[in-house]
Amino acid sequence: KTEDTQRLDNLVREDTRPLVNKAGETTPVLGVFGLSVPGYALAGPGLSGGIHHVMPRYSVGGDLRIGGGGGGDWSASYVAASVGGRYFLSDSATSAFVGGGASLLYLGLGRERSSPEFDGSRTMFAPYAELGVQLFRLNRARLTANVRVDVPFQSLPNEHRDYDPMTGRSTTRDES
């Protein structure tokens, strides 16, 4: 069967839709993602958008991700401008991939209690790694499912110095 041997690098324009070509193509990327912060019971949604240049085995591009959420009395905000690449493990219409890149990341984390209170935010450099699968690679609209981990090089400062967010305890006594 012809369908069983179709790959991104062996099809000619006459055998495919006009969109597909061997040299690659630049495509917009839109998506949704879920946000969680390890060690805190919170989750939230986010939106992403970007542009990628896709070739049969590689993809390079950039994106902007904006998200936030909360859980209990914690809240988080997340903004990342990223550049990176992906390596596809196959040149077929469905392929797993590994990827990585670098982000300029803003992360804010706060505890919304009257006492004690934690509030920290920082803009920082953060490399990221991702694993995923992309479906419908021969079509105009593709579907990608992936897991991405951002690893910032810095921690968040505690702007309320008397509170430790990991233990939930004040580090100074109230002397009133």
Side-chain angles (χ1 to χ4, degrees), residues 5-70:
T5 61
Q6 288 180 346
R7 297 188 326 245
L8 294 178
D9 66 347
N10 72 352
L11 296 174
V12 293
R13 186 171 296 275
E14 293 78 23
D15 294 336
T16 64
R17 296 183 176 132
L19 176 67
V20 178
N21 61 47
K22 290 170 100 176
E25 62 182 326
T26 301
T27 62
V29 178
L30 298 174
V32 295
F33 66 92
L35 166 73
S36 70
V37 179
Y40 299 90
L42 60 87
L47 297 173
S48 65
I51 191 161
H52 287 202
H53 185 74
V54 182
M55 294 159 281
R57 288 286 186 136
Y58 300 94
S59 172
V60 293
D63 62 8
L64 178 66
R65 302 163 67 87
I66 300 172

Side-chain angles (χ1 to χ4, degrees), residues 3 29 53 66 68 101 113 116 122 129 134 136 140 150 159 172:
E3 293 82 25
V29 178
H53 185 74
I66 300 172
R113 245 189 209 176
R122 175 170 278 161
Q134 190 171 73
F136 314 121
R140 179 182 306 271
D150 290 280
E159 295 173 11
T172 59

Side-chain angles (χ1 to χ4, degrees), residues 15-162:
D15 294 336
T16 64
R17 296 183 176 132
L19 176 67
V20 178
N21 61 47
K22 290 170 100 176
E25 62 182 326
T26 301
T27 62
V29 178
L30 298 174
V32 295
F33 66 92
L35 166 73
S36 70
V37 179
Y40 299 90
L42 60 87
L47 297 173
S48 65
I51 191 161
H52 287 202
H53 185 74
V54 182
M55 294 159 281
R57 288 286 186 136
Y58 300 94
S59 172
V60 293
D63 62 8
L64 178 66
R65 302 163 67 87
I66 300 172
D73 54 352
W74 287 97
S75 66
S77 55
Y78 169 91
V79 178
S82 307
V83 295
R86 292 177 177 164
Y87 174 74
F88 293 95
L89 304 178
S90 164
D91 53 6
S92 65
T94 299
S95 178
F97 64 85
V98 295
S103 296
L104 183 60
L105 170 71
Y106 168 83
L107 181 62
L109 182 64
R111 188 161 189 170
E112 300 172 358
R113 245 189 209 176
S114 57
S115 180
E117 185 176 326
F118 174 82
D119 187 21
S121 64
R122 175 170 278 161
T123 300
M124 58 195 129
F125 172 75
Y128 71 88
E130 64 180 344
L131 295 171
V133 63
Q134 190 171 73
L135 308 172
F136 314 121
R137 295 182 66 214
L138 297 174
N139 299 317
R140 179 182 306 271
R142 297 174 177 112
L143 178 64
T144 303
N146 66 323
V147 174
R148 173 175 160 160
V149 177
D150 290 280
V151 185
F153 285 146
Q154 298 172 304
S155 61
L156 295 179
N158 184 355
E159 295 173 11
H160 297 279
R161 305 265 184 238
D162 63 340

